[in-house]
Amino acid sequence: MKKTGILICAAALLSSQLFAESKAFMLRNNGPLRKANDTNGVEWAEAVPAGTELALESSEIVKKDLITSSKTYPDVSFYKVKYKKETYFVQESDVEIGESLSVLQADSVLFTKPTLSSFRNAILETGTLVVAGESASQLNKTFVKISFYDTNDGLKRVRYVDSNNISSSDRDVKAVILLETARATKNEDLQKELIDNVKQLKKSALIEDYIAKETAKILNVSTFSDDSIMQIDSYIAYITTSDSSKVNVRSLPGTAGDVIAQFESVSNPAVMVSMKTEETEEIEGIKESWYYVTELDSETLEQKSGGIEGWVFGGFIKVN
């Protein structure tokens, strides 16, 4: 009996040690951590970025009243967690329990089951932080189960993606978290420091391209080098698309440039093209340079007073 008691105590101790290492990862950006009040309610305390690791105090879901400035929501599901040695409650739909985080290193088609026939007409973008689970194979494709936060509906979702699109590299995950922290801060010195830290990390090739483009957007710099931009003999062209959609005009060549205006392609506006990038970029399957254009009067074909000027992707420029 004494020996059995010792074994039971040892098992309980081992179980508590294992559980103490359990983690919950915040999937929602600016995810709220809440403190308990004197009743059965919890109130907002602070927000943490997506990817924040929280120590799970208990895997048991507890029901609490969620108190906001405008309304109280009864019986909401929460986990009890530790963050920076403080105890908080975090909404079950904002986090996922797991051993580690992963990140999508390519835009990924979503599947409801690990089968090709369960394809959903939805894409999860590169750079999305996920908690990866079990994998399953069908024919020559391996699927991985992922949990992520659906920003459109404000819900945690579980889907499957192609395993080739997931990176479990700690460096890739850390790079994306640092990048998102840099994007959120308004402190320019801190932002530059965070981005410098991102650049120093050795990352996988696919996520490196994503990081470079997103960094350029944050710093509002072009991904194209100055040496790539060349003056050309000016010529008249027209802005056109296959579906008459609006065409973005950017402050800098490349998708990292700020959108400063839009052309209504349905009216086939005329432009004067005067510069281009020697390097190309691929957008929607089209590989083209970026061109600096100046809007023209549609009748006189002279520079339009107060017209649009900026960089446009070459896939939307046609010469009649």
Side-chain angles (χ1 to χ4, degrees):
M1 290 294 292
K2 188 174 181 181
K3 186 175 182 180
T4 302
I6 292 172
L7 288 174
I8 291 172
C9 291
L13 178 61
L14 178 60
S15 175
S16 65
Q17 288 175 336
L18 288 173
F19 184 76
E21 297 174 356
S22 295
K23 304 170 188 175
F25 293 96
M26 178 61 72
L27 298 177
R28 177 181 176 182
N29 201 25
N30 293 320
L33 302 181
R34 306 179 193 275
K35 284 279 192 180
N37 61 16
D38 294 335
T39 60
N40 189 47
V42 293
E43 302 178 38
W44 187 93
E46 64 175 293
V48 295
T52 299
E53 182 180 317
L54 307 166
L56 197 64
E57 285 199 359
S58 172
S59 61
E60 180 183 356
I61 291 177
V62 295
K63 299 290 186 177
K64 293 280 186 181
D65 295 338
L66 172 57
I67 300 172
T68 70
S69 58
S70 59
K71 187 177 179 180
T72 296
Y73 300 87
D75 295 331
V76 177
S77 298
F78 290 91
Y79 287 120
K80 193 175 183 180
V81 299
K82 282 275 191 183
Y83 178 64
K84 294 182 178 179
K85 299 181 180 181
E86 293 279 337
T87 297
Y88 295 96
F89 289 87
V90 60
Q91 206 164 330
E92 182 271 338
S93 58
D94 291 343
V95 298
E96 185 60 66
I97 299 172
E99 291 301 314
S100 61
L101 273 176
S102 296
V103 63
L104 294 188
Q105 57 182 357
D107 289 353
S108 302
V109 175
L110 297 178
F111 299 83
T112 54
K113 299 177 182 178
T115 60
L116 291 170
S117 60
S118 68
F119 159 78
R120 299 278 295 180
N121 188 24
I123 298 288
L124 201 57
E125 294 180 347
T126 306
T128 302
L129 294 168
V130 302
V131 174
E134 62 192 28
S135 61
S137 298
Q138 183 192 38
L139 301 176
N140 294 323
K141 186 181 286 292
T142 300
F143 298 90
V144 174
K145 187 178 183 180
I146 62 167
S147 299
F148 65 95
Y149 190 78
D150 187 334
T151 55
N152 292 324
D153 295 329
L155 297 170
K156 178 175 69 177
R157 295 200 183 279
V158 177
R159 295 286 186 267
Y160 290 83
V161 296
D162 187 330
S163 62
N164 293 320
N165 293 348
I166 290 185
S167 171
S168 299
S169 162
D170 289 341
R171 291 175 179 175
D172 287 354
V173 171
K174 185 177 180 180
V176 169
I177 291 175
L178 287 173
L179 183 75
E180 292 308 314
T181 306
R183 195 196 307 277
T185 184
K186 295 180 180 179
N187 184 318
E188 292 185 3
D189 291 336
L190 176 59
Q191 188 178 74
K192 290 177 181 177
E193 181 182 342
L194 290 166
I195 288 174
D196 284 342
N197 290 337
V198 172
K199 290 178 179 177
Q200 291 171 19
L201 290 170
K202 187 175 181 180
K203 304 171 284 293
S204 62
L206 286 176
I207 208 72
E208 183 77 72
D209 290 343
Y210 166 78
I211 292 290
K213 288 183 179 180
E214 294 304 304
T215 298
K217 288 179 182 178
I218 293 171
L219 298 177
N220 193 28
V221 297
S222 176
T223 52
F224 294 90
S225 65
D226 290 342
D227 293 339
S228 173
I229 299 173
M230 63 176 105
Q231 290 284 152
I232 57 176
D233 292 335
S234 298
Y235 62 89
I236 296 173
Y238 297 85
I239 303 296
T240 182
T241 64
S242 59
D243 58 0
S244 298
S245 57
K246 294 182 179 180
V247 174
N248 289 333
V249 182
R250 297 183 180 270
S251 59
L252 299 165
T255 51
D258 289 339
V259 176
I260 55 175
Q262 289 183 317
F263 280 118
E264 300 283 352
S265 68
V266 68
S267 60
N268 242 25
V271 295
M272 181 68 72
V273 181
S274 57
M275 288 188 287
K276 66 171 289 189
T277 60
E278 188 174 5
E279 299 168 20
T280 61
E281 185 171 2
E282 185 171 337
I283 298 178
E284 297 179 2
I286 301 172
K287 186 176 285 189
E288 251 288 7
S289 298
W290 284 77
Y291 294 81
Y292 191 85
V293 303
T294 303
E295 188 176 9
L296 301 178
D297 185 282
S298 58
E299 295 182 2
T300 64
L301 294 183
E302 295 182 356
Q303 185 172 345
K304 185 175 181 179
S305 177
I308 296 171
E309 288 189 65
W311 291 91
V312 173
F313 181 61
F316 305 128
I317 297 175
K318 305 296 179 187
V319 179
N320 283 0

